[in-house]
Amino acid sequence: MAVSWARRALARAGLAASRTFATEAKESEIVVEDLARRLSNVCEVSRSADVRKQHATDEGTERGMFPPDLVAFPSSTEDVSKVVEACTDLRVPMIATGALTSLEGHLRHLRGGLAIDVTKMSNILSVCAEDQTARVQAGVTRMQLNEYLRDTGLFFPVDPGADATLGGMAACRASGTNAVKYGTMRDVVGGLTAVLSGGRVVRCGGSGAARKSSTGYDLSALMVGSEGTLGVITELQVRLAGQPGATVAAVCPFETIEGAATCVAEIVQCGVPLARCELLDAVAISAVNEHSGLGLRELPTLFFEFTGSTESAVEGEAELAGSIVADHGGGPFKFSSTAEERSRLWRARHEAYWAALASRPGCRGVVTDVCVPLSKLAESISRAKSLASEVGLRAPTVGHVGDGNYHLLLLVDPANPDEVKAAKRVAMETGAHAIELGGTCSGEHGVGVGKLPLLEREHGRGALEAMVAIKRALDPHGLFNPGKIGSEAMFS
């Protein structure tokens, strides 16, 4: 249980604070009880040990560490405002949580405090089909929104695989398989509502309905990717896309992963309008074959999707891509034109992470998330695979290679500290090499605590000092997701 914030809260109340452990624990308990009483009139609150542990557990290797002292379940922006106001008054740290699908330790409550669970904020507030926009609460998930949109001819295009909340996706600037065509959360969030320190409610981006604006600081862009360190996102105005008139999916094996990577770079350079372009190496193909019964050849394989207004246009794009594939020693194309076949194919791709985990029962995954220029993709993947091989770790590799983003899934026994340490070293070296190649250590998963050591190398000290200044301006007491982006922990 974190107690330093409790001592400060009691000191402001005029109560003396001894520094013995027993007294510190008692101080923390007093403040938690006070906060629980205040919040009980606002929303549901839980102090259950199981609920608290759940809200410190994500998809990473170190699960359930650093739990909160209390969990609140608001259902509106007004509720969140009151919760944040109470936490600010008592100087209690807080982290907003959603579907708990993050990978980089975003949910570690390093100073204890409160988890603000937004999953009860699950209302779709409005949809304007003519403008192709929707306004949603932060707890709406992408699958929920797409089910709601099913009969409108529209869909929400950002697809990270997991059924994450849109608030969490915005906070981490998520993307996924469709990013090569539709962009990331940065591109589809037109505006948002957030609660800042003291419970202040701000509406960023105006209504968010206009396609562009050149007025004022872009506060929406500042909040997107801030990982909950500046405030709590409570509503989003998102841009939707029209369902394409024709879609064709295809898989294509290659003898080498380098051949597949260089092929992708040439396809993009030739202007083929890819909707999706995913890479699975031979190890990943073996895992998905076992998990999803695909029966693909166990070779590095590209998964393509082509979309357009007519079947003839889509077929032309696929033929052009096919000729480039042949030039790089790939093929043959195996097409899936029916909706059922495509769904099965892409479901298997989305389940590749869980298929990889199932290939080594009881393991967890240390996942890299580098993104490099397409011209450097083959070199980056080759280096990453070599690093994993050197330490003897099984490492299925998957990626959204149409935009240079890929993941090494380093499978480790969480009870074996040597394996975990080796995997983290490989992840750090892979991230550092990506930065050397002109890329980034994280294309879509975010920083959390896992990528903090690489930020100075990627951005430079001056940029990190600017981030600290922004954090102090908007969160003067350092209560939103402390110890992460915007904190001194960024400086290596």
Side-chain angles (χ1 to χ4, degrees):
M1 179 180 289
V3 294
S4 58
W5 54 266
R7 187 182 304 115
R8 290 194 296 270
L10 290 171
R12 285 195 304 278
L15 302 176
S18 166
R19 290 185 178 270
T20 68
F21 178 81
T23 303
E24 288 180 343
K26 185 176 181 180
E27 292 167 357
S28 181
E29 186 71 16
I30 292 171
V31 176
V32 169
E33 288 179 357
D34 187 9
L35 180 62
R37 280 194 299 270
R38 291 182 61 169
L39 298 187
S40 64
N41 296 320
V42 177
C43 61
E44 179 186 343
V45 177
S46 176
R47 297 184 64 184
S48 160
D50 288 343
V51 172
R52 290 167 48 228
K53 183 177 180 180
Q54 177 191 21
H55 285 78
T57 299
D58 57 18
E59 292 294 336
T61 54
E62 296 166 341
R63 314 185 85 201
M65 298 178 64
F66 302 103
D69 298 295
L70 193 67
V71 181
F73 298 87
S75 58
S76 66
T77 296
E78 182 181 7
D79 287 353
V80 174
S81 175
K82 292 176 181 177
V83 168
V84 171
E85 180 182 15
C87 286
T88 305
D89 288 347
L90 294 171
R91 301 297 190 266
V92 175
M94 55 198 130
I95 298 178
T97 69
L100 311 176
T101 55
S102 58
L103 289 159
E104 293 293 345
H106 299 82
L107 304 183
R108 294 185 198 176
H109 298 255
L110 301 176
R111 289 168 46 197
L114 178 73
I116 303 175
D117 184 320
V118 303
T119 55
K120 289 185 179 296
M121 299 175 63
S122 57
N123 292 320
I124 297 170
L125 303 174
S126 65
V127 172
C128 182
E130 293 85 352
D131 294 332
Q132 297 185 207
T133 61
R135 191 161 192 92
V136 301
Q137 288 187 303
V140 170
T141 69
R142 66 173 187 87
M143 288 184 181
Q144 176 192 352
L145 178 56
N146 277 327
E147 177 63 23
Y148 186 90
L149 295 169
R150 186 173 57 178
D151 297 326
T152 66
L154 302 171
F155 75 110
F156 179 70
V158 181
D159 181 2
D163 190 22
T165 61
L166 269 62
M169 288 169 62
C172 291
R173 203 184 296 130
S175 54
T177 59
N178 287 331
V180 66
K181 179 169 185 175
Y182 296 103
T184 74
M185 287 299 287
R186 176 188 65 184
D187 303 298
V188 302
V189 174
L192 57 84
T193 299
V195 177
L196 307 183
S197 179
R200 292 175 296 156
V201 177
V202 295
R203 187 157 181 167
C204 308
S207 71
R211 282 285 165 175
K212 61 182 182 179
S213 170
S214 61
T215 60
Y217 295 127
D218 192 344
L219 298 181
S220 295
L222 181 62
M223 296 301 295
V224 174
S226 64
E227 300 184 16
T229 61
L230 302 178
V232 180
I233 296 172
T234 60
E235 293 180 12
L236 301 106
Q237 183 85 10
V238 295
R239 294 170 182 144
L240 309 174
Q243 292 282 3
T247 301
V248 171
V251 293
C252 178
F254 287 77
E255 291 298 325
T256 67
I257 202 165
E258 290 80 9
T262 55
C263 176
V264 170
E266 185 170 335
I267 288 174
V268 173
Q269 288 163 9
C270 288
V272 178
L274 297 170
R276 298 197 239 192
C277 182
E278 299 289 299
L279 170 68
L280 278 72
D281 74 348
V283 183
I285 289 292
S286 175
V288 298
N289 278 344
E290 180 68 23
H291 189 261
S292 302
L294 283 190
L296 297 173
R297 294 174 64 193
E298 293 184 4
L299 291 170
T301 301
L302 290 176
F303 286 48
F304 292 99
E305 187 168 271
F306 307 92
T307 61
S309 57
T310 65
E311 289 187 8
S312 60
V314 171
E315 289 170 358
E317 293 162 3
E319 288 174 5
L320 176 56
S323 66
I324 297 171
V325 164
D327 290 342
H328 289 269
F333 261 17
K334 180 181 178 182
F335 288 97
S336 300
S337 55
T338 69
E340 293 78 10
E341 290 175 340
R342 292 197 306 271
S343 177
R344 182 167 175 260
L345 184 69
W346 287 110
R347 185 168 61 250
R349 164 59 189 93
H350 279 318
E351 292 175 355
Y353 174 71
W354 290 276
L357 296 183
S359 72
R360 186 183 177 187
C363 77
R364 300 298 303 166
V366 174
V367 185
T368 71
D369 180 39
V370 302
C371 186
V372 296
L374 286 176
S375 62
K376 304 295 184 182
L377 182 60
E379 179 182 350
S380 180
I381 294 175
S382 178
R383 173 66 179 277
K385 297 289 286 183
S386 176
L387 289 170
S389 178
E390 287 172 9
V391 297
L393 288 176
R394 182 176 172 84
T397 302
V398 303
H400 321 305
V401 289
D403 54 18
N405 184 202
Y406 72 92
H407 313 296
L408 210 65
L409 312 178
L410 298 150
L411 304 180
V412 300
D413 176 357
N416 185 329
D418 291 336
E419 282 193 3
V420 174
K421 183 177 180 181
K424 289 186 174 181
R425 185 171 68 250
V426 170
M428 282 294 158
E429 291 181 15
T430 300
H433 185 242
I435 293 167
E436 290 175 9
L437 296 177
T440 174
C441 64
S442 182
E444 60 184 2
H445 294 166
V447 176
V449 295
K451 299 292 193 296
L452 283 173
L454 292 169
L455 287 191
E456 188 168 356
R457 186 188 301 236
E458 181 169 332
H459 294 283
R461 193 172 187 88
L464 265 57
E465 288 172 348
M467 293 181 199
V468 169
I470 292 169
K471 167 80 168 172
R472 287 175 177 167
L474 294 183
D475 181 21
H477 308 296
L479 300 178
F480 289 112
N481 210 352
K484 299 176 187 141
I485 295 177
S487 74
E488 298 296 330
M490 296 188 300
F491 297 97
S492 55

